[in-house]
Amino acid sequence: MLSFSQSKALFIAAAIATFSLSLVSYPVFGKEQTVAPDKVEALKEQTKCSFINIKSGTVNIRKGPGNQHRVVAKLKRGDGVRAVSRQGNWVKIAARFTGNPPNETFVILDGWVNNQYINGCSEDQFDMWRK
């Protein structure tokens, strides 16, 4: 039988392990998190393939929809992202991706970009964020 202090230590260890596992799919304290393989299909279904379209340099990805929000990342021309929705002239980004199907890698990127710097991946959705 476990003593009270052993039981308490076991409970705390289990709670920490559970909390750590629940963070796999979410950004933690501004750090990027790779999307778990079992979450990739859900991410693809809930977002639209898009890419950053800026003439040169980088574009700021912000914490909220507006220039007053802090910058959480900087992306360059051609960077692939998975976008969720539009609010005014701002597009919400859920993740950044690299590579091509089926070998894409997704990283959570919770941020917003001005719609003038983002286009849809396919020709029929190229201007989707500007309409």
Side-chain angles (χ1 to χ4, degrees):
M1 189 180 275
L2 296 174
S3 70
F4 176 73
S5 54
Q6 289 174 322
S7 297
K8 186 175 169 184
L10 185 61
F11 174 78
I12 291 171
I16 290 171
T18 301
F19 180 70
S20 297
L21 290 174
S22 69
L23 296 177
V24 172
S25 304
Y26 302 98
V28 181
F29 308 116
K31 295 182 181 178
E32 293 182 341
Q33 297 278 323
T34 301
V35 177
D38 61 326
K39 307 276 187 207
V40 168
E41 287 307 312
L43 174 71
K44 286 181 180 181
E45 289 175 14
Q46 297 169 5
T47 61
K48 297 286 186 185
C49 177
S50 303
F51 68 95
I52 299 301
N53 186 15
I54 185 169
K55 291 183 189 212
S56 64
T58 59
V59 64
N60 292 330
I61 308 303
R62 298 187 176 273
K63 185 66 180 165
N67 288 327
Q68 73 275 21
H69 297 278
R70 70 180 174 87
V71 175
V72 295
K74 291 182 179 272
L75 296 179
K76 62 186 183 318
R77 179 180 177 87
D79 282 346
V81 295
R82 298 300 298 200
V84 180
S85 62
R86 180 175 163 192
Q87 181 179 324
N89 289 333
W90 292 85
V91 177
K92 177 138 178 72
I93 297 174
R96 181 173 46 91
F97 71 87
T98 55
N100 297 312
N103 299 319
E104 296 165 294
T105 302
F106 295 91
V107 176
I108 297 295
L109 177 58
D110 183 19
W112 294 78
V113 65
N114 190 288
N115 72 334
Q116 68 182 318
Y117 302 119
I118 188 169
N119 291 338
C121 288
S122 61
E123 189 174 330
D124 64 322
Q125 295 185 351
F126 189 79
D127 289 324
M128 72 180 297
W129 299 118
R130 292 197 180 80
K131 295 179 180 178

